Amino acid sequence: MDDEIILLETKTDQDDIGNTIITETIKHPVICKVQSVDRQEFFKAGQVGMNPKYRFDTDKVNYNGEELVKYKDKVYGIYRTYERTDSDTIELYAEEKAGVTYVEQDD
């Protein structure tokens, strides 16, 4: 594991005209291994309208059901997870999310 991501616990609201607004509530920095999604994952997710980008491998204890992840100053949605049976690792599959506004709160 050689990189860092920030798992984001969030709150979802809607603005006056119905657009989804996501505001962060808690940040969880974790160490992980970052990989591109493989070809098969890319095409399967693409068939259902997703835009997969990364697979983040981290220890299972680091993940608590968060739906967003921040990597290199960009926020991605976690659309699928896979708990490995041969280790204490969980794979987090992340996609670029369109049509969602993410607002970072000041600390």
Side-chain angles (χ1 to χ4, degrees):
M1 310 240 178
D2 55 359
D3 219 330
E4 182 179 84
I5 57 174
I6 300 173
L7 295 172
L8 303 170
E9 285 186 38
T10 59
K11 178 182 170 190
T12 304
D13 291 312
Q14 290 191 342
D15 65 13
D16 296 338
I17 58 172
N19 294 321
T20 300
I21 305 291
I22 298 174
T23 55
E24 95 183 19
T25 56
I26 300 173
K27 296 179 184 181
H28 301 281
V30 298
I31 301 299
C32 69
K33 181 178 180 183
V34 179
Q35 301 180 48
S36 295
V37 293
D38 63 30
R39 188 179 338 196
Q40 184 177 3
E41 178 74 22
F42 181 82
F43 286 114
K44 280 186 176 181
Q47 287 176 335
V48 293
M50 295 179 168
N51 189 11
K53 284 294 184 190
Y54 294 108
R55 184 181 102 189
F56 303 108
D57 297 354
T58 190
D59 294 330
K60 291 177 187 176
V61 297
N62 292 333
Y63 183 67
N64 295 307
E66 294 90 350
E67 295 179 0
L68 296 177
V69 59
K70 189 173 187 178
Y71 177 62
K72 293 187 176 179
D73 294 323
K74 190 165 183 178
V75 176
Y76 299 91
I78 297 172
Y79 68 90
R80 182 170 85 85
T81 63
Y82 176 72
E83 291 188 31
R84 300 196 48 102
T85 56
D86 58 349
S87 70
D88 289 331
T89 302
I90 188 167
E91 299 173 358
L92 308 175
Y93 291 84
E95 68 169 328
E96 288 189 59
K97 293 188 83 81
V100 175
T101 302
Y102 173 75
V103 179
E104 205 165 319
Q105 300 294 312
D106 294 329
D107 294 332

